[in-house]
Amino acid sequence: MSHSSQESGGRRLDRRRFLTSAAIGGATIVGASALGGLDAESAFAAPMPSLHPAFPAAFAEGRIRAVNRGVLDVAGSHGEHHLVQLTNATSVWKLRATTAEAIEAGDGLYARGVTMPDGTIAADAVWVNIVNVLCTVRGIAKDRVHLAHSHHELVGRIVPATTTASYLGGAPTSDLSRMRIGQTAQVLGAWRPADNHIDVARLTLGH
């Protein structure tokens, strides 16, 4: 066998060893720091960095059909089918950083990781029920904000100690008193399958 063939075979073996160790819960994937942050904004950042030139970032989105021993069976929005493997290093976001136990069948999912040889995605980060929509503020109450998005009415739930607002590009603040009816708001949060409302993480106002 030539030196180049041995080198190529070694690279394949290293890649397989890397992905296998990730899938069985090794420390090779170091949570969301491997490919980028876990915060909600990171889910929509582009372009995303790769973990390594040999391991380009892979993504999956859709509705979780089943959760089986750390593997999420996901039906994609356009007919795709994904298997997403969680590891002991996978970072999970569901309005805030949480654990894999918070993930349920019926949840929406956006996942980032690396593709294993069998096509499964070993996830470094998973965002559950994440939404990012441009809305108009239609009503304001103590614990919720009524929104309009593409002729649909939405309810955003204000979550104490979690919901923040950013005014005119300023730093996030828990002070929502400057929000006004008629304002445009970019709403970042977590969809609630039970009532179709949104738990609001961030309202970006005044753009």
Side-chain angles (χ1 to χ4, degrees):
M1 181 181 293
S2 69
H3 176 72
S4 60
S5 297
Q6 288 177 332
E7 189 175 87
S8 174
R11 283 199 297 268
R12 285 197 298 270
L13 180 61
D14 289 345
R15 175 179 171 81
R16 183 173 296 273
R17 183 180 298 120
F18 172 88
L19 295 171
T20 301
S21 67
I24 63 174
T28 310
I29 291 184
V30 286
S33 62
L35 297 173
L38 176 68
D39 60 289
E41 286 84 354
S42 294
F44 301 100
M48 293 302 305
S50 294
L51 181 63
H52 183 278
F55 313 122
F59 302 89
E61 65 81 33
R63 195 81 177 265
I64 299 172
R65 301 192 299 188
V67 181
N68 183 18
R69 297 183 180 181
V71 177
L72 310 179
D73 186 323
V74 180
S77 298
H78 304 286
E80 315 94 324
H81 176 238
H82 307 285
L83 293 177
V84 177
Q85 173 73 63
L86 305 179
T87 79
N88 64 357
T90 303
S91 300
V92 179
W93 182 97
K94 195 173 184 179
L95 187 65
R96 58 182 67 86
T98 185
T99 64
E101 285 69 30
I103 301 174
E104 300 175 305
D107 283 337
L109 168 140
Y110 183 76
R112 182 186 68 203
V114 289
T115 303
M116 296 174 60
D118 65 358
T120 300
I121 294 175
D124 88 300
V126 170
W127 292 267
V128 181
N129 294 335
I130 190 167
V131 294
N132 184 18
V133 291
L134 184 64
C135 299
T136 301
V137 178
R138 295 300 190 199
I140 303 170
K142 181 179 180 180
D143 62 348
R144 64 192 60 203
V145 55
H146 295 272
L147 306 159
H149 169 70
S150 299
H151 307 293
H152 297 287
E153 296 297 319
L154 301 175
V155 175
R157 296 170 60 96
I158 306 303
V159 182
T162 297
T163 303
T164 61
S166 174
Y167 301 97
L168 297 173
T173 173
S174 59
D175 178 12
L176 306 182
S177 65
R178 294 163 55 194
M179 181 168 49
R180 297 289 182 263
I181 292 174
Q183 278 184 306
T184 298
Q186 191 76 33
V187 181
L188 188 60
W191 170 59
R192 296 163 52 97
D195 56 18
N196 210 31
H197 293 178
I198 299 170
D199 284 334
V200 179
R202 173 82 54 81
L203 291 158
T204 302
L205 299 148
H207 40 136

